Amino acid sequence: MEPGPVFEYRIKVMQEHIDELEHVNNVVYVQFMQDVADKHWHSIALSDQEKEVVWVVRRHEIDYLHPAVLGDELLIRTWTGEHGTVSWDRHYEIIRPADQKRIITAKSVWVLLDKVTGRPRRIEEPMLRRFL
């Protein structure tokens, strides 16, 4: 299966992202992943879809490759991958454009839930077409 189109945005590392080791805290990268997934979803989803369903994470896999520090500009990218009946893989990479270093690569498994019942919901063809 071909990956979906890449969605990306840039962020500057702020003091609140920094830990006692003077680099971006690992938990902050998870928040960056959540944020880019959310921005990607809202850029593509139809308003009916946003009202009816919500995505939740089942699993994260993250490779921390290089540290990012205060003041770094980061390019955060995401795209969709393989999908099942109710789950969809989402891939990420964070790059520091100044030196083209990959800061992290990651993959999450997201599950689609019905907002009313809270139960997993089938990923239907219209949604697949919007993300592929």
Side-chain angles (χ1 to χ4, degrees):
M1 180 176 124
E2 288 290 315
V6 175
F7 177 86
E8 61 186 33
Y9 78 103
R10 292 176 186 251
I11 190 168
K12 187 170 185 171
V13 175
M14 308 299 281
Q15 186 62 48
E16 61 264 21
H17 302 140
I18 301 298
D19 64 17
E20 61 193 30
L21 299 174
E22 299 297 320
H23 58 65
V24 175
N25 186 282
N26 293 357
V27 174
V28 173
Y29 291 118
V30 175
Q31 185 64 58
F32 290 167
M33 292 162 54
Q34 172 77 29
D35 292 346
V36 74
D38 189 58
K39 289 176 187 299
H40 186 209
W41 165 248
H42 291 293
S43 76
I44 292 177
L46 301 172
S47 63
D48 286 352
Q49 291 170 328
E50 291 179 315
K51 291 176 187 171
E52 295 174 6
V53 296
V54 64
W55 292 95
V56 296
V57 173
R58 177 184 292 158
R59 176 183 176 88
H60 287 305
E61 297 174 20
I62 305 170
D63 292 315
Y64 300 96
L65 306 171
H66 292 95
V69 298
L70 185 63
D72 279 350
E73 182 181 347
L74 302 177
L75 177 62
I76 303 172
R77 294 179 170 157
T78 190
W79 60 95
T80 56
E82 296 286 323
H83 64 85
T85 306
V86 299
S87 66
W88 208 331
D89 291 350
R90 176 175 288 281
H91 300 270
Y92 313 83
E93 70 178 359
I94 298 178
I95 296 170
R96 183 173 43 232
D99 60 6
Q100 292 300 305
K101 292 275 188 191
R102 269 186 163 161
I103 307 302
I104 73 159
T105 59
K107 179 180 124 180
S108 297
V109 178
W110 289 80
V111 175
L112 186 65
L113 297 182
D114 185 290
K115 278 189 175 180
V116 173
T117 67
R119 298 192 55 157
R121 184 161 164 181
R122 178 180 216 82
I123 301 169
E124 297 174 347
E125 192 62 35
M127 184 178 297
L128 290 171
R129 283 194 306 270
R130 294 194 66 76
F131 280 89
L132 299 176

